Amino acid sequence: MSGLAGIQAINVFGGMACLDVRELCIHRGLDTSRFENLLMQEKTVALPYEDPVTFAVNAAKPIVDQLSEQQRSRIEMVITCTESGLDFGKSLSTHVHKLLDLQPNCRLFEIKQACYSGAAGLQMAVNFILSQTSPGALALVITTDISRFALADANAVQEWAYSEPSSGAGAVAMLVSDMPEILQLDVGAYGNYAFEVMDTCRPGPDTEAGDADLSLMAYLDCCAGAFKDYSDRVQGADFKSTFSQLCFHTPFGGMVKGAHRQLMRKLHKAKPEEIHEDFEQRLSPSLTFGQRVGNTAGGSVFVALAGTLDAGEVNEPIRIGLFSYGSGCCSEFFSGVATSKSQSLLKEMRIAEKLDRRYRLSIEEYEMLLSGKSVVRFGTKDAELDHQIIPSAWPVSGNGDLLVLDNLVNYQRNYKWI
């Protein structure tokens, strides 16, 4: 019986189009000094023919394609983690299962708990693997979220101010098994902290509401509380010395910086210079991809993990501390071990290269998409998608491995490969 479990493979999909967030801030007339605190460069903007299903499948396909037929047949659980669901009853995982052509002996379900959903899905899958109820089985955990800003009326954007530049879109797919070549989770090493708070919520399918200041305070409280629970469970755990690298849920880089500063002050009475140096060494690599896709909600902490493995130094086994926070709220601090092999396998996914290939939207194109006139809204019965709404964004010579939404017929979403 194996006592190992964790992430065997991971991939990040950052969509087909992006926007320069500095250009957006200037266009909105926002304070550029406050913008610097976001630590953002670009944000993914979902095109009308992209939805949470296409994002999820496009993240998972490169991982599944690497598996042998025998390995594919052992995927016995598909968990989608999202707050961008397309149906009040039907799980996104059913679409993902079909489009990836997986075996029918598979458990399919969806998790919703704001931005904590991805960590919840990973822990669910890890415990399935550890239980050995089906020795050798694999689980596919996919976080997928699209900001509802794309569904808003353009004249309402000012209400969100600095939330707009940081709200992105993206998906992270993780293959979970007893061969955790990307991240071997420390079994039993975790800490939770939760309480009810109305910091951010989605009271309607296409509506976002919240209190940014309250959300910041809840995030900071949870970061301290979750790590305390972790240290209570893990003898000798020390925030400064136990973890070579750290990956936090990243609504924007400034919030991560604030949480790190609070813990360093509270736990170690660290001075500003030490805090800055520690952040640069242990957290700045985690921002590598997040500052290019924006807040990906449930996938944010795993976008940070991918960034750490891509940009950090992993010459020997290192322990990584991960913090996940979901509004409402629930949070978790957990940890795992990565190796130089983890880094080489992550780099094989060529995440940065794929982000570089995204179409760069102009402000005029973004505003047109933001009006929502071309977006398939929640509950739409029939629709034809205009794949040429922004002609330059459509791949000129696709090779058939990128999924897009084609149409809706009597609520049924039909997809095609391009």
Side-chain angles (χ1 to χ4, degrees):
M1 180 180 291
S2 173
L4 301 181
I7 304 171
Q8 178 178 327
I10 188 171
N11 186 42
V12 176
F13 179 73
M16 298 171 64
C18 66
L19 181 72
D20 185 303
V21 292
R22 179 176 288 278
E23 290 181 9
L24 176 61
C25 286
I26 294 172
H27 177 67
R28 296 279 183 245
L30 301 179
D31 184 346
T32 53
S33 62
R34 286 188 62 186
F35 163 75
E36 297 299 333
N37 184 52
L38 296 178
L39 301 179
M40 291 284 302
Q41 297 175 4
E42 304 162 330
K43 59 178 272 180
T44 294
V45 179
L47 297 170
Y49 42 83
E50 295 184 287
D51 70 4
V53 171
T54 68
F55 270 75
V57 172
N58 288 328
K61 190 175 190 301
I63 291 176
V64 174
D65 284 352
Q66 290 180 347
L67 302 177
S68 67
E69 284 301 316
Q70 194 277 332
Q71 290 172 321
R72 285 169 63 101
S73 71
R74 294 310 314 275
I75 297 177
E76 298 179 13
M77 179 181 286
V78 178
I79 309 174
T80 48
C81 312
T82 186
E83 56 185 79
S84 306
L86 301 174
D87 187 280
F88 285 125
K90 183 177 173 64
S91 166
L92 297 181
S93 61
T94 59
H95 293 286
V96 173
H97 177 266
K98 173 186 176 181
L99 291 161
L100 292 177
D101 193 26
L102 301 179
Q103 293 297 309
N105 61 323
C106 204
R107 182 175 291 142
L108 310 176
F109 62 99
E110 193 163 293
I111 294 178
K112 174 178 69 65
Q113 180 45 56
C115 300
Y116 172 67
S117 63
L122 175 62
Q123 295 289 18
M124 181 77 70
V126 164
N127 283 301
F128 166 60
I129 300 301
L130 289 172
S131 74
Q132 289 289 293
T133 53
S134 182
L138 305 174
L140 191 58
V141 178
I142 309 174
T143 72
T144 178
D145 275 294
I146 291 177
S147 170
R148 296 302 187 186
F149 283 103
L151 303 179
D153 294 326
N155 59 12
V157 170
Q158 289 296 340
E159 296 179 13
W160 299 302
Y162 295 91
S163 297
E164 184 191 4
S166 61
S167 294
V172 180
M174 296 174 282
L175 188 68
V176 180
S177 76
D178 59 5
M179 296 187 297
E181 295 177 314
I182 292 292
L183 186 73
Q184 178 183 324
L185 259 65
D186 295 324
V187 177
Y190 69 92
N192 292 120
Y193 196 74
F195 54 90
E196 196 283 324
V197 60
M198 283 292 287
D199 54 341
T200 66
C201 61
R202 290 189 174 183
D206 299 334
T207 306
E208 290 186 6
D211 182 325
D213 292 334
L214 181 60
S215 187
L216 172 60
M217 296 308 298
Y219 180 99
L220 294 175
D221 285 349
C222 280
C223 191
F227 182 73
K228 182 180 184 307
D229 190 41
Y230 178 98
S231 60
D232 288 344
R233 296 174 188 271
V234 182
Q235 186 176 7
D238 180 84
F239 180 73
K240 189 166 66 171
S241 61
T242 298
F243 314 102
S244 300
Q245 292 290 308
L246 295 166
C247 301
F248 284 13
H249 166 53
T250 311
F252 59 91
M255 187 174 282
V256 173
K257 208 167 191 177
H260 168 261
R261 179 171 59 245
Q262 173 186 264
L263 285 176
M264 289 292 287
R265 285 175 174 172
K266 181 178 180 179
L267 300 176
H268 302 287
K269 296 182 173 54
K271 302 300 182 183
E273 183 177 347
E274 180 186 358
I275 294 171
H276 174 74
E277 291 177 356
D278 190 70
F279 180 85
E280 289 300 310
Q281 178 182 338
R282 294 199 295 160
L283 269 161
S284 61
S286 73
L287 305 181
T288 301
F289 296 139
Q291 64 187 355
R292 301 192 63 187
V293 298
N295 184 4
T296 53
S300 174
V301 68
F302 303 111
V303 171
L305 174 62
T308 293
L309 294 178
D310 186 79
E313 291 188 11
V314 190
N315 300 318
E316 59 185 8
I318 62 169
R319 176 158 283 107
I320 301 175
L322 301 98
F323 169 65
S324 175
Y325 169 81
S327 293
C329 66
C330 185
S331 64
E332 182 163 350
F333 192 101
F334 58 106
S335 62
V337 175
T339 66
S340 58
K341 185 176 182 180
S342 308
Q343 187 167 57
S344 62
L345 289 173
L346 183 282
K347 287 181 177 293
E348 288 177 7
M349 304 311 290
R350 306 192 317 278
I351 296 169
E353 178 184 327
K354 293 171 184 176
L355 292 178
D356 290 341
R357 291 205 301 261
R358 292 175 300 174
Y359 176 73
R360 194 182 186 90
L361 294 165
S362 67
I363 291 295
E364 293 72 25
E365 290 169 331
Y366 172 70
E367 292 279 23
M368 183 267 291
L369 293 175
L370 195 67
S371 69
K373 294 176 182 177
S374 60
V375 174
V376 177
R377 294 177 182 266
F378 188 98
T380 297
K381 184 177 182 181
D382 299 289
E384 289 290 335
L385 277 295
D386 180 6
H387 295 142
Q388 294 301 312
I389 185 169
I390 301 178
S392 299
W394 187 258
V396 176
S397 56
N399 54 13
D401 62 357
L402 189 66
L403 188 73
V404 297
L405 179 62
D406 195 17
N407 58 48
L408 278 80
V409 179
N410 195 27
Y411 300 111
Q412 175 68 46
R413 286 177 176 249
N414 299 305
Y415 297 90
K416 72 176 184 178
W417 297 98
I418 60 171

